[in-house]
Amino acid sequence: ALLSALLSPQLEIKYTCTGYKDYENAIKYYSEAVDLNPSNAIYYSNRSLAYLRTECYGYALADATKALEIDKNYIKGYYRRATSNMALGKFKAALKDYETVVRVRPNDKDAKMKYQECNKIVKQKAFERAIASDEIKKSVVDSLDIENMTIEDDYVGPKLEDGTITLTFMKEMMDWFKDQKKLHRKCAYQILVQVKDVLSKLPSLVEITLKETEKITICGDTHGQYYDLLNIFKLNGLPSETNPYLFNGDFVDRGSFSLEVILTLFGFKLLYPENFHLLRGNHETDNMNQMYGFEGEVKAKYTAQMFQLFSEVFQWLPLAQCMNNKVLVMHGGLFSEDGVTLDDLRKIERNRQPPDSGPMCDLLWSDPQPQNGRSISKRGVSCQFGPDVTERFLEQNKLDFIVRSHEVKAEGYEVTHSGKCITVFSAPNYCDQMGNKGAYIHLRGSDLKPEFHQFTAVPHPNVKPMAYANTLMQLGMM
């Protein structure tokens, strides 16, 4: 019945997606509609929006483009193609389509606002390129005078003891954040400067050995969901020298408590540098932070200067971690080409924004697929890799399996590629709308057999996800 309804060109995706939040089924039914009538631009455009909602930006871009090939006058096609390009950081291409929308609909306030915002970003990027030089960029750290930053008498929150992180400080800070209070900027800068120093001394591929009696907890994306992070610690225990953790990237963006999440994680990294591990995700990057909220959140709660320091710190996050020479963990996945070795990962110069292709890009962005081979990424970046790709990589590098994150999963985790590719995602009810469980994994040195632990979302203060995101990412129903 739903498919029959979808075949009506007048029906919008707001029925299947906005009302029921069932974007995967919307994609399924619109795909069936496309198969039955491949010359209808509306089906492609509406499926494009469903892909946008599920972060399949590459597919969204392809569908919007197809809609315009069918009907070059279909204005929603331009709007959705612009949104897709914005999500991919292709600002010039987005601006061109927003110009078309505004020209056709000059009284559309939403389109006009998005055009102006996109135009501002394009000009900002052009200015940054114009003033860039070959000289080594000066670090924010060099311009800070932390010692002379004054902590006001009326500040009663947590403070570092002689500039040092302690367990007492961490507990006080977590409670302070839980009450929606802001850490003093001096303490935040102290954490950032110290963690940058610690991270910069790590290799791009971190290698650890778990003893037979030891276990480690691997967590996936947390995306600014601070109260769910606290719940992980409640369920699984606080980090310690005997309770090590690995957080697998995408700590920030989307959720509106990203600062609280990242300062907590950085604090534990300083407290237990050998037992608390952090890997970079695709959202620990400037383009993502600009669009999905973290830059806006830092500027709202602190300053633009502090965001620049966060950017510097993120560039030093390691890219992958290998345990007992048998398990490889990364945020995204495997590579666009065969032949990549662990030694290649060790050699990656990571202190930069990620390139558009190559191993560093793939580690942050790629996804598994059920069929053999490789295909174009649904995200529009990197690739999708099949079970045969996983098998060859593991065999060449003498590994047993990989653990990655990067994708929301209904159960919080997923085991694919005959058990050799495991996804873990630790942000339950992602963006307050997906209804998914969160999960974390225990790996024990004795057998390295993954044990999955699921949990559900907990209540949080009434601050909506994406509260600090760029207005261009507030998707309208146009």
Side-chain angles (χ1 to χ4, degrees), residues 431-474:
C431 289
D432 283 0
Q433 68 178 21
M434 298 305 289
N436 61 290
K437 295 176 182 177
Y440 51 85
I441 299 172
H442 285 164
L443 279 186
R444 300 180 187 275
S446 56
D447 58 10
L448 296 178
K449 181 181 178 181
E451 300 173 5
F452 301 100
H453 299 264
Q454 297 169 295
F455 59 98
T456 55
V458 295
H460 64 77
N462 189 26
V463 181
K464 294 181 179 179
M466 301 285 279
Y468 301 97
N470 189 294
T471 52
L472 288 166
M473 298 316 298
Q474 309 296 328

Side-chain angles (χ1 to χ4, degrees), residues 256-274:
S256 296
F257 302 95
S258 291
L259 256 169
E260 290 78 4
V261 167
I262 193 61
L263 288 174
T264 299
L265 296 180
F266 281 170
F268 277 120
K269 180 62 182 174
L270 292 172
L271 186 59
Y272 305 115
E274 303 299 323

Side-chain angles (χ1 to χ4, degrees), residues 222 225-234 247 261 264-265:
T222 47
Q225 297 186 195
Y226 180 68
Y227 296 84
D228 293 308
L229 174 66
L230 293 182
N231 190 39
I232 291 174
F233 293 150
K234 179 180 178 181
F247 280 83
V261 167
T264 299
L265 296 180

